[in-house]
Amino acid sequence: MPHAHGPNQPDENRSEITPTELFVAFSHARRQKTIAYLAQKAAAISLGDLAEYIAIKEENPSYEWYERILTDLAHHHLPLLQEMNLVDYDRESESVQLAVERSVVTPYLDLAGYAGV
């Protein structure tokens, strides 16, 4: 599994996640919610469950808002998080899971206000 490394370490193993990448990942509220939710789950979840969770957290659980979130996640946020090696996203099965140990993202979740997640 990927893990974080410091800026002075060589970039030999691309599976490592830099602190800068983690800050980029946490720079958008939906990505924060995504990582926080996935950090609570032991296995892959459906994209629909993730979108529903975010719609509820955004206090707009309407079907239209759910569809917007679903599209936003599938086409923007999840591919970015997958490129950073933070999530495993299977477009075919529409399943997603955290691709790193929870300990990698915990300090960033704490900074983002998701302490105790």
Side-chain angles (χ1 to χ4, degrees), residues 36-74:
Y37 190 61
L38 294 176
Q40 300 174 39
K41 304 299 177 185
I45 62 166
S46 74
L47 178 57
D49 287 348
L50 177 59
E52 181 179 2
Y53 167 81
I54 292 173
I56 291 167
K57 287 294 186 182
E58 291 180 358
E59 298 180 357
N60 191 353
S62 69
Y63 183 74
E64 180 184 328
W65 196 248
Y66 162 83
E67 286 289 319
R68 285 181 168 193
I69 292 169
L70 199 62
T71 301
D72 192 32
L73 289 171

Side-chain angles (χ1 to χ4, degrees), residues 75-91:
H75 294 286
H76 181 68
H77 298 299
L78 293 178
L80 177 68
L81 292 172
Q82 185 169 23
E83 185 178 305
M84 292 179 175
N85 296 315
L86 283 170
V87 301
D88 289 327
Y89 171 50
D90 184 339
R91 286 179 183 255

Side-chain angles (χ1 to χ4, degrees), residues 1-5 11-17 84-85 100:
M1 282 197 151
H3 58 281
H5 70 84
D11 210 11
E12 298 166 1
N13 183 357
R14 190 53 209 133
S15 68
E16 293 180 344
I17 301 164
M84 292 179 175
N85 296 315
V100 295

Side-chain angles (χ1 to χ4, degrees), residues 7 14 21 39 98 115:
R14 190 53 209 133
E21 289 174 317
L98 200 60

